[in-house]
């Protein structure tokens, strides 16, 4: 009886029918990067902000003093995280004009700068502290934007200058705290959505509108009055930039596409698998990115746009895109981390902050909001994987017999369980319970499912902070061809 084996775990596949060898259709809450050749359960995320954070935070700053500042995208509130679980509402921005939500923030030259629609505000880093400290020292309405973009004011420090997007303009603050409202004019209708450094240059990701499938990625030396290079992308906006080692990736459009940028040209790279359509789309917000343990992570959000009437084209949460080292292929995997609400649909992922081997992530679930942190004491309790469709011979049905998984480690209280899909139906529980064979470190179940196409699912049961460590799994099948009917 031959078998189908999975042993090189290479992220998620493009669909249930195609993917690189070793790819899986689903890989939720599972880690494939830490140790090549094994798959295990990731740490859980737990809510760190309690009931203090009451709005969605798409912008945050990890301050050099060790505190974190989180900004509401909607109502002007600013929270400071000073220690684990210690959150304080320190300030509420009330700009003299425009909306109060924060659309960009950064630490630069001893100040925290943050931008609302029409105003740039700042706060001395040395005076960060209580709400009283903020009230006494914050400088609201420090400068006025010219174009007053109502959604995006991304910030990036390059060449000892803070650059700030403002619709078709790039504003700047130099090391002498001199503000320039128009350091670069991109010419309307281009709008700046995200920024990234590239050597000594500034990379600018633009958008025109949600209905215009054309935008530019621009490279500017920050000195001349016009940019040096630009390349068109036929997507409705560049949403975010990601550093994969020394490679700059751009996530663009509303159908999960990633592009590779080499400083001059931009090329298609990878795509988040999903059922993308005119009424089902999402995106990665400009600051929903980070680099965790050397691997890029990003948060996929279900778009809040009115046109996204069906929603949820793909599982939402924290994905990875990377590899263990240069000797392994770059793969897309996830969601590797699921927010503390334990859902992967109808949510938005906001700002991500990475500090050492810990990361924090803001989220929105309907009218619920929060900021999560890696739970170092607990693994994620609902991790599972699903294979692509297994079709030994598309012209006949096959009898799929034993489903099995070999493990390197199985802590006390941990286990594996199996389910399956037959002929593109719904997931079905096995008729028999899985058996553990400790002589060969294996869990298995014998079923005898007759089907043309077959997919197996493995559910991981953790034991608090201990996880099964799987090295290989598969399914045996009968090569006898059973005629239809």
């Amino acid at each position: 009886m031959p078998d189908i084996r999975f042993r090189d775990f290479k992220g998620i596949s493009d669909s249930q029918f195609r993917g690189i060898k070793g790819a899986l259709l689903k890989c939720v809450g599972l880690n494939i990067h830490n140790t090549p050749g094994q798959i295990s359960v990731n740490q859980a995320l737990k809510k760190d902000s309690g009931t203090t954070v009451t709005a969605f935070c798409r912008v945050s700053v990890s301050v050099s003093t060790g505190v974190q500042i989180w900004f509401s995208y909607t109502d002007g509130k600013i929270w400071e995280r000073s220690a684990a679980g210690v959150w304080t509402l320190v300030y509420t921005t009330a700009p003299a004009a425009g909306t109060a939500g924060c659309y960009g923030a950064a630490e630069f030259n001893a100040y925290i700068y943050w931008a609302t629609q029409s105003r740039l505000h700042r706060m001395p880093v040395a005076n960060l502290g209580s709400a009283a400290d903020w009230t006494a020292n914050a400088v609201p309405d420090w400068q006025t934007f010219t174009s007053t973009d109502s959604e995006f004011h991304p910030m990036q420090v390059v060449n000892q200058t803070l650059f700030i997007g403002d619709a078709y303009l790039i504003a700047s603050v130099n090391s002498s705290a001199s503000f320039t409202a128009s350091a670069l004019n991109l010419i309307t209708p281009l709008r700046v959505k995200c920024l990234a450094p590239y050597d000594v240059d500034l990379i600018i990701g633009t958008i025109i509108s949600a209905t215009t499938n054309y935008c530019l990625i621009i490279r500017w030396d920050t000195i001349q009055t016009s940019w040096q290079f630009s390349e068109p992308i036929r997507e409705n906006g560049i949403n975010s930039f990601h550093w994969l080692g020394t490679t700059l990736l751009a996530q663009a459009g509303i159908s999960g596409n990633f592009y590779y940028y080499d400083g001059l040209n931009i090329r298609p790279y990878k795509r988040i698998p999903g059922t993308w359509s005119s009424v089902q789309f999402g995106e990665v917000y400009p600051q929903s990115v980070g680099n965790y343990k050397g691997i890029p992570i990003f948060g996929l959000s279900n778009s809040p746009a009115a046109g996204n009437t069906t929603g949820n084209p793909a599982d939402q949460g924290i994905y990875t895109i990377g590899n263990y080292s240069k000797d392994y292929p770059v793969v897309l995997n996830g969601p590797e981390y699921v927010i503390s609400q334990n859902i992967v649909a109808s949510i938005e992922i906001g700002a991500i902050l990475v500090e050492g081997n810990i990361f924090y992530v803001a989220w929105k679930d309907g009218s619920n909001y929060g900021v999560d942190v890696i739970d170092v004491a607990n693994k994620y309790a609902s991790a599972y994987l699903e294979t692509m469709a297994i079709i030994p011979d598309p012209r006949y049905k096959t009898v799929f017999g034993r489903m099995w998984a070999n493990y390197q480690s199985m802590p006390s209280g941990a286990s594996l369980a199996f389910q399956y899909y037959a002929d593109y139906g719904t997931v079905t529980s096995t008729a028999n319970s899985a058996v553990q064979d400790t002589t060969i470190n294996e869990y298995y179940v014998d079923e005898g499912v007759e089907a043309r196409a077959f997919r197996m699912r493995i559910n991981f049961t953790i034991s608090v902070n201990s996880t099964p460590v799987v090295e290989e799994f598969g399914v045996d099948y009968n090569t006898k061809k059973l005629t239809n009917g």
Side-chain angles (χ1 to χ4, degrees):
M1 180 178 288
D3 59 8
I4 301 291
R5 295 171 178 253
F6 297 83
R7 61 185 304 174
D8 295 318
F9 311 120
K10 295 177 181 173
I12 51 178
S13 60
D14 300 317
S15 73
Q16 68 170 307
F17 307 106
R18 291 291 183 271
I20 62 174
K21 184 178 180 181
L24 302 166
L25 180 65
K26 297 276 189 178
C27 197
V28 177
L30 294 169
N31 189 318
I32 65 170
H33 295 296
N34 274 5
T35 304
Q38 64 177 216
I39 187 167
S40 59
V41 179
N42 267 316
Q43 299 302 126
L45 295 178
K46 66 177 181 178
K47 192 175 185 181
D48 190 67
S49 57
T51 59
T52 304
V53 173
T54 57
F56 186 38
C57 299
R58 280 176 49 173
V59 174
S60 62
V61 176
S62 184
V63 186
S64 57
T65 59
V67 302
Q68 300 171 2
I69 309 297
W70 296 78
F71 300 84
S72 165
Y73 186 69
T74 53
D75 60 12
K77 292 180 180 178
I78 301 175
W79 295 274
E80 180 180 293
R81 181 191 184 276
S82 55
V86 181
W87 293 73
T88 306
L89 176 63
V90 290
Y91 195 73
T92 300
T93 311
T99 55
C102 179
Y103 306 141
E107 179 181 0
F108 174 67
N109 200 23
Y111 285 89
I112 301 297
Y113 290 87
W114 73 99
T116 55
Q117 180 181 3
S118 66
R119 296 291 191 268
L120 179 64
H121 321 270
R122 72 177 190 169
M123 172 72 177
V125 171
N127 297 122
L128 294 176
S130 67
D133 295 325
W134 276 76
T135 300
N137 296 285
V139 184
D141 305 305
W142 180 66
Q143 297 292 342
T144 299
F145 291 117
T146 297
S147 295
T148 66
D149 194 281
S150 61
E151 292 183 278
F152 314 111
H153 284 299
M155 298 189 186
Q156 183 63 58
V157 177
V158 178
N159 297 330
Q160 301 181 24
T161 302
L162 174 65
F163 294 98
I164 308 165
D166 178 31
Y168 61 91
L169 300 175
I170 297 285
S172 66
V173 179
N174 67 16
S175 58
S176 300
S178 177
F179 176 78
T180 301
S182 180
L184 180 68
N185 189 331
L186 302 185
I187 309 300
T188 186
L190 288 173
R191 297 167 60 200
V192 179
K193 188 170 183 180
C194 52
L195 300 171
Y198 197 94
D199 294 330
V200 295
D201 296 343
L202 183 68
I203 303 300
I204 304 165
T206 68
I207 182 174
I208 293 178
S209 72
T211 57
T212 304
N213 274 34
Y214 182 88
C215 60
L216 294 178
I217 185 168
I218 292 171
R219 182 175 178 178
W220 176 46
D221 67 4
T222 75
I223 297 173
Q224 299 182 62
T225 56
S226 61
W227 65 81
Q228 284 66 57
F229 306 101
S230 66
E231 185 78 2
I233 300 180
R234 284 162 179 81
E235 299 266 16
N236 57 343
I238 300 172
N239 303 317
S240 53
F241 288 121
H242 312 250
W243 279 106
L244 177 59
T246 58
T247 298
L248 184 62
L249 303 179
Q251 199 281 310
I254 55 176
S255 297
N257 289 318
F258 280 84
Y259 294 82
Y260 160 80
Y261 182 63
D262 64 6
L264 293 176
N265 304 298
I266 193 158
R267 300 179 178 88
Y269 188 68
K270 287 187 181 292
R271 184 176 184 179
I272 304 168
T275 53
W276 311 99
S277 74
S278 60
V279 292
Q280 199 162 274
F281 46 89
E283 66 177 279
V284 179
Y285 293 134
Q287 207 176 327
S288 295
V289 300
N291 194 286
Y292 183 56
K293 298 181 180 179
I295 293 177
I297 61 174
F298 64 89
L300 177 63
S301 293
N302 196 46
S303 173
N308 190 31
T309 55
T310 302
N312 302 312
D315 289 339
Q316 295 126 47
I318 310 302
Y319 284 73
T320 62
I321 182 170
N323 53 357
Y324 181 81
S325 71
K326 66 178 180 61
D327 300 318
Y328 295 85
V330 174
V331 298
L332 174 68
N333 193 50
E336 283 206 14
Y337 297 90
V338 178
I339 64 170
S340 57
Q341 297 289 90
N342 197 25
I343 53 176
V344 294
S346 301
I347 59 173
E348 294 177 64
I349 304 297
I352 293 175
L353 284 183
V354 181
E355 296 183 347
N357 281 344
I358 300 291
F359 75 82
Y360 305 79
V361 55
W363 51 262
K364 177 180 184 291
D365 171 24
S367 59
N368 298 309
Y369 309 93
V371 179
D372 285 354
V373 63
I374 287 286
D375 186 351
V376 297
N378 291 282
K379 301 291 185 185
Y380 177 58
S382 302
Y384 70 95
L385 63 82
E386 293 179 2
T387 67
M388 292 188 289
I390 300 169
I391 310 174
D393 190 327
R395 300 178 60 206
Y396 298 92
K397 289 194 173 184
T398 298
V399 176
F400 294 89
R402 174 168 294 190
M403 290 181 281
W404 52 270
N406 291 108
Y407 56 85
Q408 295 174 1
S409 174
M410 189 61 61
S412 176
S415 63
L416 301 171
F418 299 89
Q419 292 178 280
Y420 64 89
Y421 299 77
D423 290 332
Y424 312 118
T426 58
V427 66
T428 302
S429 297
T430 57
N432 304 301
S433 298
V435 176
Q436 184 180 16
D437 184 344
T438 57
T439 62
I440 58 171
N441 286 8
E442 183 174 275
Y443 268 88
Y444 69 89
V445 63
D446 291 317
E447 283 298 292
V449 178
E450 183 180 318
R452 173 182 172 273
F454 181 87
R455 288 200 292 118
M456 65 181 294
R457 171 174 170 144
I458 302 178
N459 300 308
F460 288 66
T461 297
I462 52 95
S463 179
V464 188
N465 203 29
S466 297
T467 170
V469 178
V470 172
E471 63 184 11
E472 189 172 6
F473 60 89
V475 59
D476 299 341
Y477 65 92
N478 193 329
T479 56
K480 181 180 178 181
K481 299 176 180 179
L482 303 179
T483 56
N484 296 325

